[in-house]
Amino acid sequence: MELKNYETVFILTPLLNETQMQETVEKFRQVLKENSADIIHEENWGLRKLAYPIQKKSTGFYHLIEFKAPGTVVDQLELAYRRDEKVVRFLTTALDKHAVAYNERRRNGEFKQAKKEEVKG
């Protein structure tokens, strides 16, 4: 079975406390693990302002997970998102080879170093 690289970002309701947010993120991690996905990278972006109000809320907890898995996993993950009322929005994208290379460079901090050099120069 061919494995593809995916990236999913989901926004949780701002009404959760830290523990509830961590439990919800762990629930989605388990969905991935139970379906043989390999989690490559995770980022918790924290509480951020939304571009426009959703369900009368102007902020939300953003979380990103990059993973490698067969295509059927995406359906299971998105079904779990839809069933959970704590999820305000989500987006899962398949990554091509350029996006995978870009994410790897970003994780290694290459872009932060370039930005610092621009400021100095």
Side-chain angles (χ1 to χ4, degrees):
M1 187 178 304
E2 184 182 348
L3 300 178
K4 287 185 171 181
N5 288 296
Y6 295 95
E7 183 177 84
T8 185
V9 176
F10 52 93
I11 305 170
L12 301 175
T13 180
L15 303 176
L16 302 175
N17 63 32
E18 187 70 27
T19 306
Q20 292 170 321
M21 188 189 72
Q22 292 299 328
E23 288 173 356
T24 306
V25 170
E26 184 58 33
K27 177 181 155 186
F28 296 127
R29 263 192 228 120
Q30 286 301 318
V31 170
L32 289 171
K33 289 177 184 174
E34 288 169 4
N35 289 289
S36 307
D38 183 23
I39 296 175
I40 298 169
H41 182 68
E42 272 188 75
E43 290 180 22
N44 181 5
W45 295 348
L47 186 66
R48 291 183 168 215
K49 187 175 181 189
L50 302 174
Y52 53 88
I54 301 172
Q55 299 169 358
K56 298 182 181 179
K57 294 172 183 72
S58 60
T59 58
F61 290 105
Y62 283 68
H63 199 86
L64 174 140
I65 300 176
E66 188 180 336
F67 60 97
K68 188 177 233 180
T72 56
V73 172
V74 175
D75 293 336
Q76 296 294 322
L77 181 64
E78 290 189 349
L79 183 64
Y81 286 150
R82 286 187 186 96
R83 287 183 174 165
D84 195 327
E85 62 186 20
K86 298 174 206 149
V87 176
V88 176
R89 285 285 191 273
F90 63 89
L91 178 67
T92 304
T93 56
L95 302 175
D96 63 6
K97 64 180 182 182
H98 303 292
V100 171
Y102 175 85
N103 282 350
E104 191 173 323
R105 290 177 62 197
R106 189 171 62 85
R107 282 194 302 270
N108 292 334
E110 286 186 38
F111 302 115
K112 288 180 182 175
Q113 292 171 353
K115 204 172 194 177
K116 286 180 183 175
E117 290 173 10
E118 284 179 17
V119 173
K120 289 180 182 176

